Amino acid sequence: MTISVTLPALGESVTEGTVTRWLKQPGEHVQEDEPLLEVSTDKVDTEIPAPATGVLLTIVAGEDETVEVGAELAVIGPPDVEPSAATAVTSAPVAPVTAPQPAPSPVQVAQPPAAAPMAHPAPAAAPAPMPQPAPAPMPAPAPAAAPAPRPISAAAAAPATAVLRGHTAAVPRLRKAVGDSLKQALLEQAQLTSTVEADVTGLLRLWRRTTDGFMAREGFALTPLPFFVLAAAQALKAHPVINARIDTGGATITYYDTENVGITVDTDQGPLTPVVRGAGDLTVSGIARAVHDLTGHALAGRLTPADVAGATFTVSDTGTRGTLFDTLIVPPHQAAILGVGTAVRRPAVVRDGDEEFIGVRELVHLSLSYDHRLVDGADAARYLTTVKKIVEAAAFEDIR
């Protein structure tokens, strides 16, 4: 008796997947629930387990082939099938697609794989170094002159991207999937962005006071992001129009009764957005634990389809890279996304009762990109004002 291996449903709105790698080859024995192959979708890469113990007879969908949910991927036979017989009925392997390698161009640069070769191969044997003449003595600087700042080389500024220079490579699957999804969202939605500036001096003081104790209790560092995620989720409770989804085909609007907040994670393969479920009902510590676990899984490539499904809203903390504010793209099936900029110390007007004075404050830009088909500018302003009040009040009492 043979068993068909099919592509299971891999999350909300996922209708197809691309086979990225087979972990077993025809003729090999497999155990039930053992990883059989890897599949990539527009949300996450995941392993498909074997549905039964037996011998892999035939691979139906080759690597780099895109198939729909429910389509057949392979066939598993009984455990007593001879491996040689299994190999005999295996379909011909799919030839790998090799991207053409045109001559390097200073303006034609694309994202290569992590293990891309250098632009110019090293010679087989390096020649012996020639003796260098002694450098001429430099004149001593004037006593009153300040030393010139040391320039930062391009290689030192961006060592991870130096290998990209002069290369043309195939578009990574995840980047193509994310790009197609966001382009579709732009085509379908009427997107705008509104921005406010928030004084987070008190919030960051609270964060700094609690980091050591939090590290001692939890075993990992507390970042400011959970404070902003909680503020965003609490504001969603007061402004349900932001926590919604519009279905133009059915002419309906769904207002969610939970706050499932996606957080963007910058990985080597591209951005991923795991979901903190029920964020509006968690504490800062609860959100911090969820963010820590999800970020670790994303960086290690261990996210499951359940980890990235069901977001009703998204928070993107691009301020960790030094950005003041962003005009972010609203993800598909959501009404808005909140961008958190970097904290900047600036002089600002401080009010103490009826008195006003100038003080040094830490300020952050909060940007809300939203779908204007569902959210009006006044709705966006009201939501941002609520988030601003929450972060400025810094009344996060339970950090345990």
Side-chain angles (χ1 to χ4, degrees), residues 206-207 210-211 214-215 220-227 284-285 288 399:
L206 173 63
W207 166 62
T210 56
T211 50
F214 187 89
M215 171 66 83
F220 61 89
L222 175 66
T223 70
L225 176 60
F227 295 91
V284 170
S285 295
I399 307 180

Side-chain angles (χ1 to χ4, degrees), residues 87-358:
T87 305
V89 299
T90 301
S91 59
V94 178
V97 179
T98 304
Q101 298 294 328
S105 168
V107 298
Q108 189 179 16
V109 179
Q111 183 94 5
M118 296 298 292
H120 303 287
M130 297 295 292
Q132 300 294 326
M138 298 295 292
R150 182 176 180 179
I152 299 176
S153 66
T161 58
V163 72
L164 300 181
R165 292 174 57 83
H167 275 274
T168 299
V171 178
R173 295 182 186 90
L174 179 59
R175 183 158 300 281
K176 182 180 184 304
V178 171
D180 291 344
S181 177
L182 294 179
K183 181 62 178 295
Q184 188 64 30
L186 278 175
L187 292 175
E188 293 178 351
Q189 300 177 2
Q191 299 198 8
L192 294 175
T193 302
S194 297
T195 304
V196 297
E197 189 175 59
D199 184 344
V200 294
T201 307
L203 186 153
L204 294 182
R205 285 175 181 168
L206 173 63
W207 166 62
R208 294 183 184 108
R209 284 200 311 267
T210 56
T211 50
D212 291 343
F214 187 89
M215 171 66 83
R217 290 192 306 272
E218 301 292 340
F220 61 89
L222 175 66
T223 70
L225 176 60
F227 295 91
F228 291 101
V229 171
L230 181 55
Q234 289 177 346
L236 290 176
K237 292 178 179 291
H239 304 278
V241 69
I242 308 297
N243 193 38
R245 171 179 177 177
I246 186 171
D247 180 6
T248 53
T252 59
I253 300 174
T254 300
Y255 299 98
Y256 297 106
D257 59 358
T258 187
E259 299 78 34
N260 294 335
V261 179
I263 55 169
T264 55
V265 180
D266 182 23
T267 74
D268 292 339
Q269 302 302 316
L272 294 172
T273 311
V275 182
V276 179
R277 302 191 179 279
D281 300 321
L282 298 177
T283 63
V284 170
S285 295
I287 293 176
R289 296 184 196 102
V291 169
H292 175 264
D293 293 343
L294 291 170
T295 300
H297 292 164
L299 296 176
R302 298 198 305 267
L303 288 177
T304 67
D307 290 331
V308 296
T312 63
F313 185 78
T314 298
V315 174
S316 179
D317 184 12
T318 57
T320 55
R321 305 298 185 188
T323 302
L324 283 178
F325 61 89
D326 291 280
T327 55
L328 299 168
I329 298 176
V330 182
H333 314 303
Q334 296 178 38
I337 178 174
L338 180 70
V340 180
T342 191
V344 179
R345 292 170 62 85
R346 290 199 184 112
V349 175
V350 181
R351 291 180 176 85
D352 184 7
D354 294 334
E355 299 295 326
E356 292 184 346
F357 57 91
I358 301 296

Side-chain angles (χ1 to χ4, degrees), residues 23-24 30-38 47-50:
L23 305 176
K24 293 290 185 178
V30 297
Q31 296 293 323
E32 184 176 0
D33 295 330
E34 180 182 12
L36 188 61
L37 72 155
E38 293 178 352
E47 294 178 344
I48 305 299

Side-chain angles (χ1 to χ4, degrees), residues 367-390:
S367 304
L368 186 76
S369 292
Y370 55 95
D371 185 353
H372 205 358
R373 298 177 304 167
L374 178 59
V375 180
D376 293 333
D379 297 321
R382 284 188 285 265
Y383 175 79
L384 283 173
T385 301
T386 301
V387 176
K388 175 179 177 177
K389 289 179 179 178
I390 294 173

